[in-house]
Amino acid sequence: MGERANQRHASAATGTPLGDGLSSKGVGRAGLVAAQPFLAADVGGTHARIGLVVAAPGGQSVKVLHYHRYSCADWSGLPAMLGDFVAQLEASPHAALCSQLSDCAVACAGYVLDDAIVNENLPWPVSIGEIRAALGIRQLAVINDFEAVAYATQFIGADDAMSIIESSRPATRGPVLVMGPGTGLGSAVLLPGQPRAQVLATEAGQISLAPGTEREIEILRLFRRERSHVSFEDALSGPGLLKLYGALCELRGCTERQLTPAEITAAALAGNDAAAVEALQVFCGLLGSFVGDLVLLYGARAVYLAGGILPQIQPFLLASTFAERYFNKGVMRAWLQQVPVRLIEHGQLGVIGAAGWFLDEHKGD
């Protein structure tokens, strides 16, 4: 089959429950023959999730047979994590499958350039050739991490997502926007079609930050002292929340505490740091405005919010100005009222999306 670093996309059929806690998953796979087991990984700036996956007998499902989540900062690189995962397999009930591993699908933030996966948010470089050599596999296929999550939304059931904004009308078929803040700000669009859906990769997080309040204008002025181009990712991400907190401490004339994004979030939720509370309020308001813009840009008929931050602030998000800013698009408010917004846990979505995409993309190999 040879070496590949693909970033093309495809589709699948029915539904499956999702989440980090289960060791076996099923997703609809119409028309696929039984396949050899292979590895599927979802690599972000903070965590990497790796699974042993296989197309079920009869070609009706893909299952995650073994799964583990890693903290990227604890490892020297992706080859080391994949090697540890294979070592786990050798001590598991799936040990006999290890000798059959020849393929790996990786969902990763960034893009492929020659032999490298390029992403400034990863703690280490990723070499496609190095991974292939370390694992002794013949093929490594690469898909953007949010493209994989977008692909996996085809398998999400009604109980797998929490409603943030309800639609004023019954759901209609059309583009599905998937976006969310984490170490960076990811975004992709699922485009329904026959025989396959397609996934549009985007770098929407790099769009210039557009302030919508006087306070956000003040924050933008402070951000611009460091760089001429200020993107939405500069505010809507873990590092962005740090920047918001620092800017608001300066504007408030208070001492900035040395906090992590998680600590800022915790302080905001506890209500014991006024600058942290305002930082998270600004974060949610900007997010609502940005999501509304992307819905209009892509003609989306549904939105899924993902990433590592939002599930942790769900009650705060619901009580924030997110919805107000989402709808604040003038004459397009009526359109936005028809587009539901739901929150999903990242969990195994990236692994499932990468595996499903790989099987559709490579079923003739």
Side-chain angles (χ1 to χ4, degrees), residues 181-195:
T183 307
L185 179 59
S187 176
V189 181
L190 181 76
L191 303 172
Q194 292 296 332

Side-chain angles (χ1 to χ4, degrees), residues 220-291:
L220 178 59
R221 289 196 182 104
L222 295 184
F223 280 15
R224 280 180 54 83
R225 293 184 309 192
E226 298 180 10
R227 54 195 298 184
S228 59
H229 171 64
V230 179
S231 69
F232 269 99
E233 185 175 83
D234 287 324
L236 298 179
S237 60
L241 185 58
L242 281 177
K243 291 181 181 179
L244 288 175
Y245 177 69
L248 286 163
C249 285
E250 181 174 344
L251 292 170
R252 285 171 164 268
C254 61
T255 301
E256 178 184 354
R257 296 192 291 160
Q258 298 303 305
L259 303 176
T260 65
E263 289 169 340
I264 293 172
T265 299
L269 296 178
N272 58 21
D273 184 325
V277 172
E278 187 177 5
L280 201 57
Q281 289 171 339
V282 171
F283 184 96
C284 292
L286 281 171
L287 180 66
S289 183
F290 186 49
V291 172

